[in-house]
Amino acid sequence: MNEQIKQKFCQELGEEQVLFEEPMKRHTTFRIGGPAEVFVMPRTIEEIQKTLEICRREKLSYFILGNGSNLLVSDQGYKGVIIQMDRNMEQITVEGTEIRAAAGALLSSIAVAARRASLTGFEFAGGIPGTLGGAVVMNAGAYGGEMKDVLKDVTVMTGEGEVRVIPAAKLEMGYRTSIIKKAGYLVLGATISLKEGNLEEIKTLTRELREKRTSKQPLEFPSAGSTFKRPEGYFAGKLIMDSGLRGCQIGGARVSDKHCGFVINAGDATAEDVVSLMKHVTEVVREKYGVTLEPEVKFLGEFDKKCDW
Ligand SMILES: Cc1cc2nc3c(=O)[nH]c(=O)nc-3n(C[C@H](O)[C@H](O)[C@H](O)COP(=O)(O)OP(=O)(O)OC[C@H]3O[C@@H](n4cnc5c(N)ncnc54)[C@H](O)[C@@H]3O)c2cc1C
C-alpha cells in the first residue's frame, strides 16, 4: 500500500487512531500474529464509514477485529486494513429487560450490567472473552446458552456504509455461524432481550459457571478457546484425548493437558506451529475414528500450510 493511501486514514480518523505495521500478537488471545499493514481504531459510525469508503475506493482488503479471541493470525501478518471494534465502541445501556450494547462491549461487561439490573439469561456468556460483535458473528455459546437465544435485533453496516437494523431471526444463526460474514456486514451493536430474575440466583449461577470454566479450561495459557467445532455426536476434546494426543506439541503449540479441545501457546508458538499441530490432530483423529474435525478458530492472512481443511 502506498504512503499516500496510508496518509488518507490519518487525515480522516486522526493520527492517533491509525497504526502501521502493528503486531497482531498484541491483539489476539493466542498472542500470535505478524504485523497488520494498517490498523485503525474508529471512534464513531462516521469514522467506520470513512474507513470503508477508503477501502472501497482503493480496493483494499479489510478485516473487522473484536477482541481477537477466536483468531489465528499468520506469522506474515495481514496485508490490508484491520478495523478494531473494541475500546472505542463499548457503550452499554439497560432499559427494562433489554440491554442495548455497542459491538465492542465485552460480553463480561454486558453480563455485569445484566446482573446489576437483576436480569437473567446472559449468565452463560459472562466467561466468553469476546466482544458483542464477535459473539454475534460466531453465535457464541456455552453451557446450554447461545447468543441467538437472547438477541432481539442487530444493527449492522453494509459494505457500502448503510446502517440497517435486522431482526436476529433473519441472521440465520446456527452452531458457531451466522450470515453476517457472507453478507459482508459489520456489526455495530445489538439489543439483548432478557428476563427479570432473582439477584442471588443470578450470582450463584455466575459463580458456578466461572468455577466450571476455571477448573476445566487452560486459562493460564494463551489460546483461542476451543480449537475445533463439536462434531455431530462427539466431543472434539474427548476424540483428541482418546487418540492419545494429550500434551502433543509442535514447536510452541501444544494440545492442552487440562482440556484436549484447546491448542495452547505454550511459549513463543508461531501460527505455523499451531496450524501444523491442528493438521496433525485432524489426521490422527480421522484415522482413528473416521471423524473430520473442523476448525472453530478463524484464520487470517497467508499460511504456508493450507488452512482449508
Ligand atoms: C479462553 C477462551 C474461552 C472461550 N470460550 C468460548 C465459549 O465458551 N463459547 C464460545 O462460543 N466461544 C468461546 N471462545 C471463543 C471466542 O471468545 C468467541 O468466539 C467470541 O465470540 C469471539 O469474539 P471476539 O470479539 O474475540 O471476535 P474476534 O476473534 O475478534 O473475531 C471473530 C470473528 O468475528 C468477526 N467480528 C468480530 N467483531 C465483528 C464485528 N463487530 N462485525 C463483524 N464481524 C466481526 C471477525 O471478523 C472474525 O471473523 C473462547 C475463547 C477463549 C480464548
Side-chain angles (χ1 to χ4, degrees):
M1 194 184 307
N2 69 39
E3 270 317 300
Q4 252 179 336
I5 299 179
K6 286 184 177 175
Q7 285 316 312
K8 278 188 193 154
F9 289 102
C10 296
Q11 283 156 15
E12 294 289 358
L13 279 83
E15 277 187 12
E16 65 288 1
Q17 302 311 121
V18 187
L19 302 168
F20 300 110
E21 300 304 322
E22 173 67 4
M24 286 301 290
K25 58 163 69 172
R26 292 188 186 151
H27 304 282
T28 61
T29 54
F30 241 143
R31 300 282 166 258
I32 293 173
E37 207 171 7
V38 179
F39 187 99
V40 299
M41 300 165 280
R43 289 161 295 194
T44 60
I45 289 182
E46 291 69 33
E47 288 184 353
I48 299 174
Q49 280 165 328
K50 283 178 186 166
T51 304
L52 290 182
E53 202 186 311
I54 300 174
C55 292
R56 236 181 1 255
R57 218 173 33 225
E58 306 296 342
K59 298 193 172 46
L60 306 174
S61 46
Y62 63 88
F63 181 85
I64 319 296
L65 177 71
N67 198 36
S69 65
N70 201 43
L71 214 54
L72 182 67
V73 183
S74 144
D75 301 317
Q76 282 75 50
Y78 180 66
K79 291 252 166 290
V81 182
I82 298 280
I83 305 175
Q84 188 195 43
M85 292 297 292
D86 70 347
R87 311 251 173 95
N88 295 320
M89 304 231 139
E90 52 186 20
Q91 307 82 343
I92 300 172
T93 48
V94 182
E95 261 178 51
T97 55
E98 290 186 352
I99 297 184
R100 172 99 210 120
L106 288 172
L107 297 179
S108 54
S109 308
I110 298 173
V112 169
R115 191 162 68 240
R116 286 197 180 133
S118 293
L119 296 177
T120 187
F122 205 73
E123 296 88 336
F124 76 90
I128 301 174
T131 60
L132 176 66
V136 171
V137 172
M138 298 295 302
N139 185 27
Y143 307 115
E146 282 181 297
M147 289 305 291
K148 74 176 174 55
D149 305 334
V150 294
L151 279 178
K152 182 181 172 196
D153 55 49
V154 178
T155 305
V156 300
M157 187 182 285
T158 65
E160 288 68 45
E162 187 198 332
V163 176
R164 285 190 202 158
V165 179
I166 303 182
K170 294 215 161 140
L171 291 173
E172 296 175 24
M173 300 179 86
Y175 176 60
R176 301 295 173 267
T177 63
S178 68
I179 59 152
I180 292 173
K181 277 255 145 190
K182 225 185 319 164
Y185 294 149
L186 182 152
V187 176
L188 293 173
T191 312
I192 295 160
S193 180
L194 302 173
K195 291 197 172 72
E196 279 175 19
N198 173 294
L199 183 58
E200 283 316 307
E201 285 172 13
I202 295 169
K203 281 185 179 168
T204 306
L205 181 56
T206 303
R207 196 173 46 245
E208 282 171 6
L209 295 183
R210 191 186 312 123
E211 281 164 9
K212 256 194 199 169
R213 216 172 251 282
T214 41
S215 67
K216 297 245 162 68
Q217 298 184 356
L219 302 181
E220 57 282 20
F221 287 98
S223 78
S226 297
T227 314
F228 298 99
K229 290 183 181 173
R230 196 180 55 235
E232 193 84 39
Y234 298 91
F235 288 101
K238 180 151 172 34
L239 286 174
I240 296 167
M241 184 176 72
D242 293 347
S243 300
L245 292 164
R246 183 196 290 271
C248 178
Q249 187 155 346
I250 295 182
R254 182 178 174 91
V255 172
S256 163
D257 299 82
K258 194 168 175 183
H259 188 320
C260 293
F262 283 56
V263 167
I264 56 168
N265 178 354
D268 293 331
T270 62
E272 288 300 330
D273 292 342
V274 175
V275 173
S276 301
L277 183 57
M278 288 176 68
K279 289 251 169 210
H280 177 63
V281 166
T282 309
E283 277 160 24
V284 175
V285 169
R286 194 188 291 127
E287 232 167 69
K288 252 195 135 165
Y289 293 98
V291 178
T292 301
L293 294 175
E294 256 187 73
E296 178 165 329
V297 53
K298 302 263 172 239
F299 301 98
L300 178 65
E302 307 254 311
F303 290 81
D304 292 341
K305 294 216 170 40
K306 286 188 108 188
C307 296
D308 53 353
W309 259 237

